Amino acid sequence: NAGVTQTPKFQVLKTGQSMTLQCAQDMNHNSMYWYRQDPGMGLRLIYYSASEGTTDKGEVPNGYNVSRLNKREFSLRLESAAPSQTSVYFCASSDSNQPQHFGDGTRLSIL
Amino acid sequence: AQSVTQPDIHITVSEGASLELRCNYSYGATPYLFWYVQSPGQGLQLLLKYFSGDTLVQGIKGFEAEFKRSQSSFNLRKPSVHWSDAAEYFCAVGLARSNYQLIWGAGTKLIIKP
């Protein structure tokens, strides 16, 4: 019973490198979300996808791109990583007005 | 603009004592309200939710929360805390008019004294 699976769990990058964070859900949810979590700031929405084929910016989209590959998968890409993007990244999924289900997070450090 | 305020960054409670975590929101319509818990190094787990109806909602792990429209509050309570309740707690408001995006509070870290 996997729920929301994020890979990798940990990653260290150098400034300027690129990488893609992967997220997959097996609950047949329509909506998927990417958040970042920084100390004392709660969760901030980066991008979301209300349904397959659509994506929209959240509160802090700069420096990120997303792809809703299919109904199950929603990836987050950092094209040129910056130290300010050091954070814990969470993927979540839900249906309409139902609670969001979260993955265990990706801990990303950018040197 | 919509916002969620959790006024307490940290709360320390003795094991066995009662707990109340505060959450206030600013939103022009009746919101969907959630409490989530995050243990260290883990993702977020839903404790309880309020969509409509009875303003006192029961959740998992013995938690409950009460929606008070007049105070724009959704405080979380537990009659007797256990050491395993030590975690960070997040209140969130769901925006029906914005595709059910969630606006999050900054969190309250609960510390349990033995």
Side-chain angles (χ1 to χ4, degrees):
Chain A
N1 193 13
V4 178
T5 302
Q6 292 183 237
T7 56
K9 295 189 183 307
F10 302 93
Q11 185 70 48
V12 179
L13 293 178
K14 294 181 179 178
T15 298
Q17 287 185 317
S18 63
M19 82 161 294
T20 300
L21 280 61
Q22 306 287 353
C23 175
Q25 52 95 6
D26 62 3
M27 294 171 284
N28 202 37
H29 287 161
N30 287 313
S31 300
M32 297 185 73
Y33 310 83
W34 275 106
Y35 293 94
R36 61 177 290 172
Q37 184 179 35
D38 301 291
M41 301 188 73
L43 278 79
R44 293 183 290 169
L45 183 65
I46 305 171
Y47 271 92
Y48 70 100
S49 171
S51 61
E52 187 178 356
T54 69
T55 61
D56 286 286
K57 295 178 180 179
E59 181 185 355
V60 289
N62 291 344
Y64 305 95
N65 287 300
V66 290
S67 296
R68 185 73 183 266
L69 304 170
N70 48 57
K71 191 170 186 179
R72 291 187 63 248
E73 298 173 287
F74 188 39
S75 63
L76 178 72
R77 183 161 178 84
L78 287 70
E79 290 291 352
S80 179
S84 60
Q85 294 178 304
T86 293
S87 188
V88 182
Y89 291 85
F90 286 100
C91 177
S93 70
S94 74
D95 266 334
S96 299
N97 62 342
Q98 296 305 309
Q100 294 179 16
H101 295 257
F102 285 81
D104 287 337
T106 294
R107 283 144 188 84
L108 181 62
S109 292
I110 299 162
L111 307 177
Chain B
Q2 303 90 355
S3 64
V4 177
T5 302
Q6 293 181 246
D8 303 304
I9 298 174
H10 299 99
I11 279 188
T12 301
V13 176
S14 297
E15 190 170 14
S18 64
L19 171 70
E20 183 169 27
L21 302 182
R22 296 181 290 165
C23 173
N24 293 96
Y25 65 89
S26 172
Y27 184 51
T30 300
Y32 299 107
L33 296 161
F34 305 88
W35 275 99
Y36 283 81
V37 61
Q38 184 181 31
S39 298
Q42 301 295 314
L44 283 82
Q45 181 184 21
L46 179 71
L47 280 177
L48 46 77
K49 64 183 186 286
Y50 172 79
F51 284 177
S52 64
D54 193 345
T55 56
L56 184 64
V57 293
Q58 303 296 321
I60 62 171
K61 305 185 181 187
F63 285 91
E64 67 178 25
E66 185 171 13
F67 170 53
K68 293 186 177 180
R69 185 188 306 274
S70 61
Q71 298 177 20
S72 298
S73 69
F74 188 55
N75 293 349
L76 182 71
R77 301 193 295 245
K78 186 170 184 178
S80 176
V81 297
H82 187 262
W83 65 267
S84 60
D85 293 323
E88 192 156 18
Y89 292 80
F90 293 91
C91 179
V93 170
L95 310 180
R97 289 178 284 184
S98 299
N99 226 2
Y100 305 106
Q101 291 181 59
L102 295 183
I103 304 297
W104 294 84
T108 297
K109 187 172 183 179
L110 175 62
I111 300 164
I112 306 295
K113 287 193 302 186

